[in-house]
Structure formats: structure tokens, C-alpha cells
Amino acid sequence: MADARTGKVTFVGAGPGAADLLTFRAARAIAEADVVIWAASLVQAEVLQHAREDAEILDSAALSLEDVVAVYERARDEGLRIARIHSGDPALWGGTQEQLDRCDALGLATEVVPGVSAFSAVAALARRELTIPEVAQSVVLTRLGGGKTPMPPGEEVREFAKHGTTMAIFLSAARSGQLVRELLEGGYPTSTPVVVAYQATWPEELVVRCTIGTLEETVKEHKLWKHTLFLVGPALEAHGTRSHLYHPGHFHGYRKADPAARRALRERGAST
Ligand SMILES: C[S@@+](CC[C@H](N)C(=O)[O-])C[C@H]1O[C@@H](n2cnc3c(N)ncnc32)[C@H](O)[C@@H]1O
């Protein structure tokens, strides 16, 4: 047991589901916890194997923010270590900031352990790099407006779609018709490749490739309303380009450039 002065809340990113996508740091935070708060529907039960046998386990699905803050107050008063498990990376759509702010107000120490976000997991399953030289050098992580949380002005999918780069779209499967409309209004062609992933890294995982033109029918065919992520953009199909970093004409502190390859790169307008 921690003593009365060392109460602490660790926000633990548990990854997209599979227990072996937990980091060592995350596993350690769970193992050290007196109380583990987790979401049974978002994180696989195996992650609890890291918890102590005598740890108190609470399912966050049954708790309001006020209920969770009451547990944090107990942590401060009794010097408890809490592991608050969030799916994916706690930095994205986890409701973590409001908890961090409450902990600060309570004078309670906090730590955040990053996790594998669903968008990284889906890119890995699709075996795609999201940033391809000369095709896409940015990734927009976003969600569709119109759900429970309103979008700030200018953050609609149609606005981001104007960039034509890679998008990872969370929390939007229930409104696939609106998603397709906004992607097309932004200017993507209907043939733009899409990866749709449901419950990525869970036993019931489904990963399907389609295009924006077939996105809505794909979602409806498989009845994907939640726990689904979309990767959209030309990078999902691009081949034949190569990075300058590993080009023989590019030099850096650890490698000399081949002069002929360097000339060739320069002729293509690259700054080597
Ligand atoms: C509340 S957000 C949490 C995101 C999380 N913090 C992350 O970094 O992945 C939940 C949304 O993330 C996406 N998501 C999370 N885990 C997923 C998974 N295993 N497969 C597919 N999508 C997932 C879905 O879009 C889901 O609606």
C-alpha cells in the first residue's frame, strides 16, 4: 500500500484492445495499483491479469465523472495508487483532461502513460504507411460532427477533406452517409481508397478495404455502428515513390551521399 502522501492517479493508454499491445510502462502502472478503473467494453479483460490479486477493480461504464472523482479523493486521503485505464492513447477522445484537471485541483499527483492509438493499429493491420513521399505528408485525426459532442467551427470533415491527405476518422460509423457526403464535398474523388476497421485487434476484428464510393454500403453490409475507424486517402494505395531519407543521394551525419545519385535528386528539384 502507498502511504498517505503518495496517492497518485496514472492514466494508462491500453491500446486498441489486444492485451499484448500494452506497453511495459502501462503493465507496471496496473501492477502497482491499489485501484484499477477500466472500461470493460473498450479494453480486453486480459489487461487485468497485470493487476494485483487484492486490487479493487471498478468498471468505468457504471461511473459518472463525479463518481470517479470520489475515488480520486479517496486516493488523496488514503495514499492510494490508481490506474485509470483508457483505450488507445489517452490523448485522444478519452475524457482525460477533465480528470487531470480535477486531480490537479485535489492536489493529487498524476502521470500519463501513452498507448497505441486505434489509427496506428489499423494502419499496421492494413500494412500501410500513412505518410507516403509526394502523396501525403500529413494525417488528420478527426471525427464527424453531429454526434454528442459538437464540432468547433472549421473542423468539419468536409473542411479537412479539402487537403486531400490521409484522414483517420474516429467515432463516425453510425453516420456513414453523412461521412461520404462530407468527404466528397471536400473534394476527394469517389475512387479514393478507404480502410474500414471494426474492433481492430479483438477476436471479432474486421478489416475491409473499399473506396469512398462504396464506404456507406460496406458499413451497412457489415452493420458497423460503433468501434469502427476509417482510414481515408490516396496514401492507402500509393506505390512507387521512395523517401529521400534512405535515397543514396541524400546525406546526413551518419552517411555520405553518392555524388551521381545526389545530382539526380537535385535535378528532380529536391533540396539534398
Ligand atoms: C472514444 S474514442 C477513443 C480513441 C482512443 N483513445 C484511441 O486513441 O484509439 C473511440 C473510437 O476510437 C476508435 N477505436 C478505438 N479502438 C478501436 C478498435 N479496436 N478498432 C476500431 N476502432 C477503434 C473508434 O472510432 C471508436 O469509436
Side-chain angles (χ1 to χ4, degrees):
M1 274 286 211
D3 70 38
R5 283 158 297 160
T6 55
K8 180 176 172 184
V9 180
T10 304
F11 295 90
V12 177
D20 60 353
L21 284 175
L22 221 57
T23 63
F24 286 112
R25 194 178 295 187
R28 195 165 62 235
I30 295 168
E32 287 172 353
D34 302 297
V35 182
V36 178
I37 306 178
W38 74 308
S41 61
L42 298 177
V43 179
Q44 281 174 26
E46 285 96 313
V47 303
L48 295 179
Q49 285 172 358
H50 297 282
R52 290 197 330 246
E53 268 188 20
D54 64 337
E56 185 181 342
I57 309 289
L58 301 172
D59 184 354
S60 61
L63 304 175
S64 66
L65 175 63
E66 286 68 17
D67 296 332
V68 173
V69 171
V71 180
Y72 296 166
E73 278 169 352
R74 198 146 62 79
R76 180 197 55 191
D77 297 342
E78 298 174 23
L80 301 175
R81 298 283 161 129
I82 312 258
R84 171 65 160 108
I85 300 180
H86 283 272
S87 72
D89 188 308
L92 297 169
W93 296 286
T96 45
Q97 195 58 53
E98 59 198 27
Q99 298 177 67
L100 283 160
D101 292 347
R102 298 297 198 289
C103 290
D104 283 350
L106 291 173
L108 190 57
T110 52
E111 182 183 347
V112 181
V113 178
V116 176
S117 180
F119 82 91
S120 306
V122 175
L125 287 168
R127 292 179 301 118
R128 293 302 309 180
E129 183 176 354
L130 303 180
T131 53
I132 303 280
E134 296 165 48
V135 176
Q137 288 293 287
S138 313
V139 182
V140 179
L141 309 180
T142 190
R143 57 170 299 172
L144 204 54
K148 287 183 201 126
T149 309
M151 293 299 278
E155 291 199 29
E156 294 81 14
V157 164
R158 85 169 65 74
E159 295 300 322
F160 289 127
K162 289 179 184 164
H163 295 280
T165 189
T166 309
M167 290 178 79
I169 303 167
F170 294 68
L171 294 159
S172 303
R175 282 160 293 128
S176 55
Q178 181 191 343
L179 178 59
V180 169
R181 266 195 314 282
E182 293 208 24
L183 290 169
L184 295 177
E185 280 164 17
Y188 282 111
T190 48
S191 58
T192 305
V194 176
V195 174
V196 184
Y198 166 75
Q199 295 275 82
T201 80
W202 290 67
E204 51 275 64
E205 162 187 296
L206 178 77
V207 181
V208 190
R209 285 177 166 276
C210 62
T211 63
I212 294 180
T214 56
L215 188 156
E216 189 176 358
E217 69 191 57
T218 304
V219 166
K220 290 188 172 155
E221 179 192 340
H222 296 286
K223 301 188 171 47
L224 307 178
W225 318 124
K226 47 186 192 173
H227 231 220
T228 300
L229 182 119
F230 303 93
L231 296 177
V232 179
L236 296 166
E237 227 170 54
H239 294 279
T241 63
R242 65 174 296 170
S243 70
H244 286 184
L245 183 59
Y246 297 104
H247 194 286
H250 182 77
F251 70 92
H252 52 68
Y254 300 96
R255 200 183 69 217
K256 287 195 165 68
D258 170 74
R262 186 149 181 238
R263 266 195 307 281
L265 256 191
R266 281 209 165 133
E267 277 159 19
R268 291 179 52 207
S271 65
T272 58

